[in-house]
Amino acid sequence: MKDFKMQIAEKIAEVTSIDVNEIKGYIEIPKDANMGDYAFPCFSLAKSLRKAPQMIATEIKEKIDITDTDIETVEIAGGYLNFTISKDELAKVVLEEIALKNEEYGKSDIGNGKKIVIDYSAPNIAKPFHIGHLRSTVIGGALYNIYKYLGYTVTGINHLGDYGTQFGKLIEGYKLWGQEYNIEENPIEELTKIYIRINEACKQDEQVLENCRNNFKKLEDGDKYCTEVWEKFRSLSLKEFKKVYELLGSKFDSWNGEAFYSDKMPEVIDILSKTGRLVESQGAKIIDLESEGINTPCIIEKSNGSTTYATRDLAAILYRARTYDFDKALYVTSYEQVLHFKQVFEVAKLLGLDEKYAKGLEHVAFGMVLLPTGKMSTREGNVVKLEELLNEAISKVKEIIEEKNPDFTQGEKQDIAKKVGIGAVIFNDLSGSRIKDEIFDWDTMLNFNGETGPYIQYTYVRTNSVLKKAGYLPEIKDIDFSRLTDKEAQNVLKLIYSFTNIIEQATVKNEPSVIARFLIDLSKAYSSFYNENKIIVEDKAIQDARVYLTHATNLVLKNGAKLLGIDMPEKM
Ligand code: ARG
């Protein structure tokens, strides 16, 4: 697609002899459309040209030659030069690209040849899949789709928490009282009960605790009974987790959890020992990171000889570097793990891998999920079952649909309720910048007129009705682009034009909210266009152009939502 910003940059570069890419980097899109389509802040050159911004602006304006370009006007405003682009040309460029690419509009290949590993979701087996894991699942899943759309080779990994001394305890509890609990039916709840009970027993009886420790050791050594029971816990938990993944449409390429690395840790310890940085401290093996500016040491092996969460992450880095040869490895967890990843990423530099791997490690942290009543956390006891929560979203929407569209069939109502209910939860998760705490409030996220998932879906459905009412899609060669020069149509076009760039921005900061924001802006812009203009009109040329713009909006809303993991209902 034509790059208008580049056209402007080239023209400015011609008359200033400053590098065109440097110029391009300075060009902004003014918030207020009255200030033009693009603005060049002349003060960014004041230093290198040794002139006042105002003077630079005057000189560029005098010298610049815009014949044979799509630049229509150049105006001076303070130290800025404001440019407008031909409105017809914008419409032509955008709609022709839509006609050419259809469902693939906005796709790019800038990621070709680059490999990204995304570690997300990662609930802990035999424990509830909590709302923090939901956020990780949704953010990680969106990043997965976004990177793929830009041509990267992406591997999604569910680094399940399926390892640790607690399994020694669970195995013991199961051995003692397994018959009393229906863990097949309700694995997580029943295992949690067993876990609480065995912990009590351990406090009462030193021997029980000893048995638990032995079980974990046996598990590590591949003991048949312990391994069987552990596998049972794992597969029952996974069965439960998959209900949530099914509802959210989550996909993973690898389910290698922490246990997968149990035989890969000795190598880590070996490599670290040889660096001379691994030291003994109160019986444990640690790496002091004071000199790297991290005050808490990274514990590699506990005093009882067992490995840690950090060691498993280090083994995973070795494995992933060798297996996936990643350019970037993202870890999507709440900000509570900031210190953990700082330590692990620092120690990773000592693993003897090529520098590029340590450089590619990145913690994509996000804020807490807050219920209107406070923090949702399993530790504080107010466990929210995710599957129930998602089903609640679906049934709430179903009620609304029953009321609004009683004559839809049951099947239609169910399909819409699922897409809108789940879409609302996902959008709520992604709409603010990820590091901000998220407020989980049904009324806000299900408001069809707010900045919500349902609002975007509703706008999409509206474009569907317009297209249905028109009953045809005009051919692109018949479109008279000069019919789309009104302010509202131009706003829609500018947004659609920016789509690829928006997707790229989302990857620069690993911030799906950039796309969420875009979808809200596009929905609002289309609503204004729709309110200001009749689309089905006498004048065929006007109608064709407006119908085509509606078609373009329809495609982009659907593609954009899909990147976030949100499906569009065809009606609602
Ligand atoms: N299971 C961990 C938790 O629930 C998250 C794992 C994140 N990934 C990783 N490679 N450490 O907190």
Side-chain angles (χ1 to χ4, degrees):
M1 208 169 21
K2 252 189 192 173
D3 188 344
F4 296 125
K5 207 188 225 184
M6 193 50 136
Q7 278 189 28
I8 296 172
E10 276 165 2
K11 289 293 148 188
I12 299 177
E14 262 172 32
V15 298
T16 54
S17 348
I18 297 208
D19 176 67
V20 61
N21 287 310
E22 183 184 340
I23 303 268
K24 193 182 178 199
Y26 297 134
I27 299 178
E28 302 165 4
I29 298 180
K31 290 236 151 48
D32 175 2
N34 293 324
M35 307 295 286
D37 301 323
Y38 294 95
F40 180 70
C42 296
F43 50 81
S44 49
L45 300 187
K47 224 173 166 184
S48 49
L49 297 181
R50 297 164 173 274
K51 279 178 196 158
Q54 184 76 35
M55 199 163 152
I56 299 174
T58 315
E59 282 183 18
I60 297 178
K61 186 179 152 71
E62 267 166 20
K63 288 192 207 152
I64 203 166
D65 176 15
I66 56 171
T67 43
D68 298 327
T69 70
D70 298 316
I71 305 168
E72 222 165 53
T73 63
V74 189
E75 299 291 343
I76 300 176
Y80 281 88
L81 272 175
N82 293 336
F83 296 83
T84 59
I85 297 295
S86 151
K87 294 186 167 62
D88 301 29
E89 190 59 23
L90 174 69
K92 180 172 187 294
V93 165
V94 169
L95 297 184
E96 284 183 348
E97 180 82 0
I98 288 277
L100 190 70
K101 302 278 177 65
N102 283 301
E103 266 75 33
E104 311 239 294
Y105 178 82
K107 228 175 172 167
S108 99
D109 51 13
I110 57 162
N112 275 5
K114 294 205 193 89
K115 299 172 211 118
I116 305 245
V117 168
I118 310 181
D119 176 319
Y120 62 108
S121 195
N124 303 315
I125 71 167
K127 283 199 194 149
F129 187 147
H130 63 71
I131 197 135
H133 295 125
L134 174 75
R135 257 206 118 176
S136 172
T137 310
V138 167
I139 296 173
L143 291 172
Y144 184 92
N145 299 334
I146 294 168
Y147 276 103
K148 273 217 156 146
Y149 209 64
L150 297 181
Y152 291 83
T153 303
V154 192
T155 308
I157 303 181
N158 196 333
H159 187 78
L160 291 169
D162 56 4
Y163 198 79
T165 46
Q166 75 271 25
F167 290 103
K169 288 186 175 170
L170 269 176
I171 292 168
E172 191 60 21
Y174 180 80
K175 195 153 84 186
L176 293 172
W177 322 295
Q179 318 306 334
E180 296 172 36
Y181 297 84
N182 190 351
I183 71 163
E184 314 280 335
E185 186 83 13
N186 243 331
I188 310 288
E189 269 167 49
E190 298 301 286
L191 287 172
T192 308
K193 285 184 198 155
I194 296 182
Y195 190 63
I196 294 171
R197 187 165 164 193
I198 191 73
N199 267 318
E200 272 310 307
C202 286
K203 277 185 212 152
Q204 310 292 330
D205 189 342
E206 187 65 27
Q207 184 55 46
V208 179
L209 185 62
E210 194 49 40
N211 293 345
C212 294
R213 288 202 186 113
N214 281 335
N215 285 340
F216 182 61
K217 182 94 191 58
K218 284 201 229 154
L219 180 64
E220 284 195 293
D221 296 341
D223 171 85
K224 190 159 173 284
Y225 176 79
C226 290
T227 309
E228 261 173 37
V229 175
W230 172 83
E231 268 168 5
K232 186 181 179 121
F233 295 161
R234 191 179 192 271
S235 70
L236 285 173
S237 304
L238 268 184
K239 214 170 117 198
E240 188 94 347
F241 297 159
K242 281 185 177 165
K243 291 185 196 159
V244 174
Y245 294 140
E246 167 66 36
L247 284 167
L248 290 171
S250 319
K251 279 177 233 70
F252 301 93
D253 303 300
S254 161
W255 295 83
N256 288 339
E258 293 184 41
F260 178 77
Y261 301 99
S262 61
D263 62 352
K264 297 174 181 59
M265 287 182 283
E267 186 188 356
V268 171
I269 296 175
D270 190 47
I271 297 173
L272 293 178
S273 314
K274 288 182 184 140
T275 63
R277 292 284 304 265
L278 195 62
V279 295
E280 292 256 344
S281 165
Q282 298 164 358
K285 288 187 180 141
I286 64 158
I287 293 194
D288 189 292
L289 296 168
E290 197 96 39
S291 55
E292 281 88 356
I294 302 170
N295 294 329
T296 325
C298 186
I299 302 174
I300 302 296
E301 200 178 276
K302 293 189 203 159
S303 53
N304 63 10
S306 62
T307 54
T308 63
Y309 179 50
T311 328
R312 291 189 282 284
D313 260 326
L314 289 164
I317 290 171
L318 265 189
Y319 179 82
R320 291 172 187 177
R322 290 168 183 163
T323 311
Y324 306 112
D325 180 33
F326 60 80
D327 296 282
K328 252 200 226 184
L330 309 181
Y331 294 80
V332 187
T333 80
S334 89
Y335 61 62
E336 287 177 312
Q337 299 197 31
V338 163
L339 176 62
H340 166 76
F341 286 110
K342 261 197 183 151
Q343 294 175 323
V344 167
F345 295 170
E346 205 49 58
V347 178
K349 293 181 187 160
L350 307 173
L351 289 177
L353 290 165
D354 189 293
E355 281 205 325
K356 87 164 204 190
Y357 298 113
K359 281 208 180 106
L361 301 168
E362 197 175 324
H363 183 204
V364 178
F366 56 79
M368 295 288 148
V369 181
L370 306 169
L371 280 174
T373 48
K375 184 175 152 184
M376 263 197 199
S377 134
T378 51
R379 250 168 271 157
E380 283 160 30
N382 49 342
V383 181
V384 181
K385 251 191 119 185
L386 279 191
E387 194 198 338
E388 275 168 21
L389 180 130
L390 294 174
N391 282 320
E392 190 176 345
I394 297 173
S395 67
K396 277 181 190 293
V397 175
K398 202 154 177 210
E399 266 169 43
I400 303 174
I401 303 289
E402 288 291 355
E403 200 176 297
K404 283 176 105 172
N405 304 87
D407 34 304
F408 283 0
T409 67
Q410 270 313 314
E412 283 171 343
K413 285 178 193 162
Q414 188 55 33
D415 175 66
I416 298 167
K418 185 174 174 198
K419 287 173 176 160
V420 177
I422 301 293
V425 173
I426 294 181
F427 193 86
N428 186 57
D429 231 341
L430 298 177
S431 58
S433 66
R434 60 180 156 76
I435 201 67
K436 278 213 225 135
D437 288 344
E438 166 196 329
I439 311 225
F440 197 95
D441 176 48
W442 288 123
D443 291 340
T444 315
M445 72 175 107
L446 291 175
N447 182 351
F448 282 40
N449 298 311
E451 299 195 341
T452 61
Y455 171 64
I456 290 164
Q457 290 168 320
Y458 184 74
T459 312
Y460 171 77
V461 166
R462 174 179 274 173
T463 59
N464 265 353
S465 332
V466 171
L467 295 171
K468 201 169 150 209
K469 200 162 153 204
Y472 70 103
L473 183 65
E475 284 200 48
I476 186 72
K477 65 171 178 35
D478 296 334
I479 304 293
D480 175 357
F481 301 108
S482 71
R483 307 300 177 129
L484 294 171
T485 52
D486 61 287
K487 190 169 131 226
E488 285 75 26
Q490 286 284 309
N491 281 343
V492 174
L493 287 163
K494 278 187 204 169
L495 282 163
I496 297 182
Y497 178 74
S498 72
F499 189 47
T500 306
N501 190 257
I502 290 285
I503 305 174
E504 282 174 28
Q505 274 177 41
T507 61
V508 172
K509 291 190 176 143
N510 293 312
E511 189 66 91
S513 65
V514 174
I515 295 177
R517 182 71 246 163
F518 168 83
L519 291 173
I520 291 290
D521 290 344
L522 180 57
S523 299
K524 285 188 178 165
Y526 183 79
S527 301
S528 307
F529 169 74
Y530 178 90
N531 291 332
E532 286 301 315
N533 297 298
K534 272 216 163 66
I535 297 179
I536 308 302
V537 288
E538 288 278 295
D539 185 327
K540 184 76 172 22
I542 294 184
Q543 174 168 310
D544 281 357
R546 291 180 181 166
V547 168
Y548 213 92
L549 185 63
T550 301
H551 164 67
T553 307
N554 178 281
L555 273 180
V556 173
L557 283 177
K558 190 170 185 167
N559 286 357
K562 197 160 174 217
L563 291 176
L564 301 184
I566 298 173
D567 284 334
M568 290 296 197
E570 292 309 318
K571 57 182 194 177
M572 71 194 261

Short mmCIF file of all heavy atoms in Angstrom, two decimals, residues 169 172-173 176-177 193-210 212:
data_model
loop_
_atom_site.label_atom_id
_atom_site.label_comp_id
_atom_site.label_asym_id
_atom_site.label_seq_id
_atom_site.Cartn_x
_atom_site.Cartn_y
_atom_site.Cartn_z
N LYS A 169 3.28 -34.53 48.62
CA LYS A 169 2.19 -34.48 49.61
C LYS A 169 0.89 -35.01 49.03
O LYS A 169 0.20 -35.81 49.65
CB LYS A 169 1.99 -33.04 50.06
CG LYS A 169 3.10 -32.53 50.96
CD LYS A 169 2.76 -31.15 51.48
CE LYS A 169 3.81 -30.69 52.47
NZ LYS A 169 3.64 -29.28 52.81
N GLU A 172 0.84 -38.69 48.80
CA GLU A 172 0.64 -39.31 50.12
C GLU A 172 -0.83 -39.23 50.53
O GLU A 172 -1.42 -40.21 50.98
CB GLU A 172 1.53 -38.61 51.17
CG GLU A 172 1.63 -39.31 52.51
CD GLU A 172 2.21 -40.73 52.41
OE1 GLU A 172 2.89 -41.03 51.41
OE2 GLU A 172 1.93 -41.54 53.33
N GLY A 173 -1.43 -38.06 50.34
CA GLY A 173 -2.85 -37.88 50.69
C GLY A 173 -3.72 -38.82 49.89
O GLY A 173 -4.65 -39.45 50.42
N LEU A 176 -3.45 -42.34 51.18
CA LEU A 176 -4.16 -42.55 52.43
C LEU A 176 -5.67 -42.52 52.28
O LEU A 176 -6.37 -43.36 52.81
CB LEU A 176 -3.74 -41.49 53.45
CG LEU A 176 -2.29 -41.56 53.94
CD1 LEU A 176 -1.95 -40.35 54.80
CD2 LEU A 176 -2.05 -42.85 54.75
N TRP A 177 -6.17 -41.51 51.55
CA TRP A 177 -7.63 -41.32 51.54
C TRP A 177 -8.25 -41.18 50.15
O TRP A 177 -9.38 -40.74 50.02
CB TRP A 177 -8.01 -40.05 52.33
CG TRP A 177 -7.21 -39.80 53.56
CD1 TRP A 177 -7.20 -40.58 54.68
CD2 TRP A 177 -6.32 -38.71 53.80
NE1 TRP A 177 -6.36 -40.05 55.62
CE2 TRP A 177 -5.79 -38.88 55.11
CE3 TRP A 177 -5.90 -37.59 53.08
CZ2 TRP A 177 -4.88 -38.00 55.68
CZ3 TRP A 177 -5.00 -36.72 53.65
CH2 TRP A 177 -4.48 -36.92 54.94
N LYS A 193 -8.93 -30.35 48.56
CA LYS A 193 -9.32 -30.84 49.90
C LYS A 193 -8.26 -31.79 50.44
O LYS A 193 -7.87 -31.72 51.60
CB LYS A 193 -10.67 -31.58 49.82
CG LYS A 193 -11.86 -30.64 49.68
CD LYS A 193 -13.16 -31.43 49.71
CE LYS A 193 -14.31 -30.61 49.13
NZ LYS A 193 -15.38 -31.46 48.60
N ILE A 194 -7.82 -32.70 49.56
CA ILE A 194 -6.79 -33.65 50.00
C ILE A 194 -5.52 -32.90 50.43
O ILE A 194 -4.91 -33.21 51.44
CB ILE A 194 -6.45 -34.66 48.86
CG1 ILE A 194 -7.68 -35.51 48.54
CG2 ILE A 194 -5.25 -35.52 49.23
CD1 ILE A 194 -7.47 -36.57 47.46
N TYR A 195 -5.20 -31.88 49.65
CA TYR A 195 -3.98 -31.12 49.93
C TYR A 195 -4.05 -30.43 51.30
O TYR A 195 -3.09 -30.46 52.08
CB TYR A 195 -3.76 -30.10 48.81
CG TYR A 195 -2.41 -29.43 48.87
CD1 TYR A 195 -1.25 -30.18 48.72
CD2 TYR A 195 -2.29 -28.06 49.09
CE1 TYR A 195 0.00 -29.58 48.78
CE2 TYR A 195 -1.05 -27.45 49.15
CZ TYR A 195 0.09 -28.22 48.99
OH TYR A 195 1.32 -27.63 49.05
N ILE A 196 -5.20 -29.85 51.58
CA ILE A 196 -5.36 -29.18 52.87
C ILE A 196 -5.26 -30.21 54.00
O ILE A 196 -4.56 -30.01 55.01
CB ILE A 196 -6.72 -28.44 52.93
CG1 ILE A 196 -6.70 -27.28 51.90
CG2 ILE A 196 -7.01 -27.92 54.33
CD1 ILE A 196 -8.04 -26.60 51.70
N ARG A 197 -5.91 -31.35 53.80
CA ARG A 197 -5.91 -32.38 54.84
C ARG A 197 -4.51 -32.95 55.09
O ARG A 197 -4.11 -33.13 56.25
CB ARG A 197 -6.89 -33.49 54.41
CG ARG A 197 -7.12 -34.54 55.49
CD ARG A 197 -8.35 -35.36 55.15
NE ARG A 197 -8.40 -36.59 55.93
CZ ARG A 197 -9.22 -37.60 55.66
NH1 ARG A 197 -10.06 -37.53 54.64
NH2 ARG A 197 -9.21 -38.68 56.42
N ILE A 198 -3.77 -33.18 54.01
CA ILE A 198 -2.43 -33.78 54.19
C ILE A 198 -1.49 -32.77 54.85
O ILE A 198 -0.64 -33.13 55.67
CB ILE A 198 -1.85 -34.34 52.87
CG1 ILE A 198 -0.59 -35.19 53.13
CG2 ILE A 198 -1.50 -33.24 51.88
CD1 ILE A 198 -0.84 -36.52 53.74
N ASN A 199 -1.69 -31.51 54.55
CA ASN A 199 -0.86 -30.49 55.20
C ASN A 199 -1.08 -30.48 56.70
O ASN A 199 -0.15 -30.33 57.48
CB ASN A 199 -1.16 -29.11 54.62
CG ASN A 199 -0.22 -28.77 53.49
OD1 ASN A 199 0.98 -29.04 53.56
ND2 ASN A 199 -0.76 -28.21 52.43
N GLU A 200 -2.34 -30.63 57.10
CA GLU A 200 -2.68 -30.73 58.52
C GLU A 200 -1.96 -31.94 59.13
O GLU A 200 -1.32 -31.84 60.16
CB GLU A 200 -4.20 -30.90 58.70
CG GLU A 200 -4.95 -29.58 58.79
CD GLU A 200 -4.32 -28.64 59.80
OE1 GLU A 200 -4.10 -29.04 60.96
OE2 GLU A 200 -4.02 -27.49 59.38
N ALA A 201 -2.10 -33.07 58.43
CA ALA A 201 -1.50 -34.31 58.93
C ALA A 201 0.02 -34.17 59.08
O ALA A 201 0.60 -34.70 60.03
CB ALA A 201 -1.85 -35.46 57.99
N CYS A 202 0.63 -33.45 58.14
CA CYS A 202 2.08 -33.25 58.22
C CYS A 202 2.45 -32.46 59.47
O CYS A 202 3.49 -32.72 60.09
CB CYS A 202 2.59 -32.50 56.99
SG CYS A 202 2.64 -33.50 55.50
N LYS A 203 1.62 -31.50 59.81
CA LYS A 203 1.90 -30.70 61.01
C LYS A 203 1.82 -31.57 62.26
O LYS A 203 2.58 -31.40 63.20
CB LYS A 203 0.89 -29.56 61.12
CG LYS A 203 1.28 -28.35 60.26
CD LYS A 203 0.32 -27.19 60.49
CE LYS A 203 0.17 -26.37 59.22
NZ LYS A 203 -1.14 -25.71 59.14
N GLN A 204 0.87 -32.52 62.27
CA GLN A 204 0.66 -33.38 63.42
C GLN A 204 1.78 -34.43 63.55
O GLN A 204 2.16 -34.78 64.65
CB GLN A 204 -0.67 -34.16 63.31
CG GLN A 204 -1.89 -33.34 62.99
CD GLN A 204 -2.28 -32.41 64.11
OE1 GLN A 204 -2.04 -32.72 65.28
NE2 GLN A 204 -2.86 -31.26 63.77
N ASP A 205 2.20 -34.93 62.41
CA ASP A 205 3.02 -36.13 62.44
C ASP A 205 4.24 -36.00 61.53
O ASP A 205 4.12 -35.98 60.31
CB ASP A 205 2.12 -37.31 61.99
CG ASP A 205 2.81 -38.66 62.18
OD1 ASP A 205 4.05 -38.68 62.32
OD2 ASP A 205 2.08 -39.67 62.18
N GLU A 206 5.39 -35.96 62.16
CA GLU A 206 6.66 -35.80 61.43
C GLU A 206 6.85 -36.92 60.41
O GLU A 206 7.37 -36.70 59.31
CB GLU A 206 7.79 -35.81 62.47
CG GLU A 206 9.16 -35.48 61.95
CD GLU A 206 9.28 -34.05 61.42
OE1 GLU A 206 8.52 -33.16 61.88
OE2 GLU A 206 10.12 -33.85 60.52
N GLN A 207 6.36 -38.12 60.76
CA GLN A 207 6.55 -39.27 59.86
C GLN A 207 5.81 -39.08 58.53
O GLN A 207 6.32 -39.43 57.47
CB GLN A 207 6.07 -40.56 60.57
CG GLN A 207 6.33 -41.84 59.76
CD GLN A 207 7.80 -41.99 59.35
OE1 GLN A 207 8.71 -41.80 60.17
NE2 GLN A 207 8.04 -42.30 58.08
N VAL A 208 4.61 -38.49 58.63
CA VAL A 208 3.83 -38.25 57.40
C VAL A 208 4.61 -37.30 56.49
O VAL A 208 4.72 -37.52 55.29
CB VAL A 208 2.44 -37.65 57.74
CG1 VAL A 208 1.64 -37.39 56.47
CG2 VAL A 208 1.67 -38.60 58.65
N LEU A 209 5.16 -36.27 57.10
CA LEU A 209 5.93 -35.30 56.34
C LEU A 209 7.10 -35.98 55.64
O LEU A 209 7.39 -35.73 54.47
CB LEU A 209 6.42 -34.18 57.27
CG LEU A 209 7.14 -33.02 56.59
CD1 LEU A 209 6.22 -32.30 55.62
CD2 LEU A 209 7.64 -32.02 57.64
N GLU A 210 7.74 -36.86 56.39
CA GLU A 210 8.88 -37.61 55.85
C GLU A 210 8.44 -38.45 54.64
O GLU A 210 9.11 -38.47 53.60
CB GLU A 210 9.44 -38.51 56.97
CG GLU A 210 10.81 -39.10 56.70
CD GLU A 210 11.84 -38.08 56.23
OE1 GLU A 210 11.85 -36.95 56.77
OE2 GLU A 210 12.61 -38.41 55.30
N CYS A 212 5.99 -37.84 52.68
CA CYS A 212 5.71 -36.93 51.56
C CYS A 212 7.00 -36.59 50.83
O CYS A 212 7.07 -36.62 49.61
CB CYS A 212 5.05 -35.65 52.05
SG CYS A 212 3.42 -35.90 52.76
#
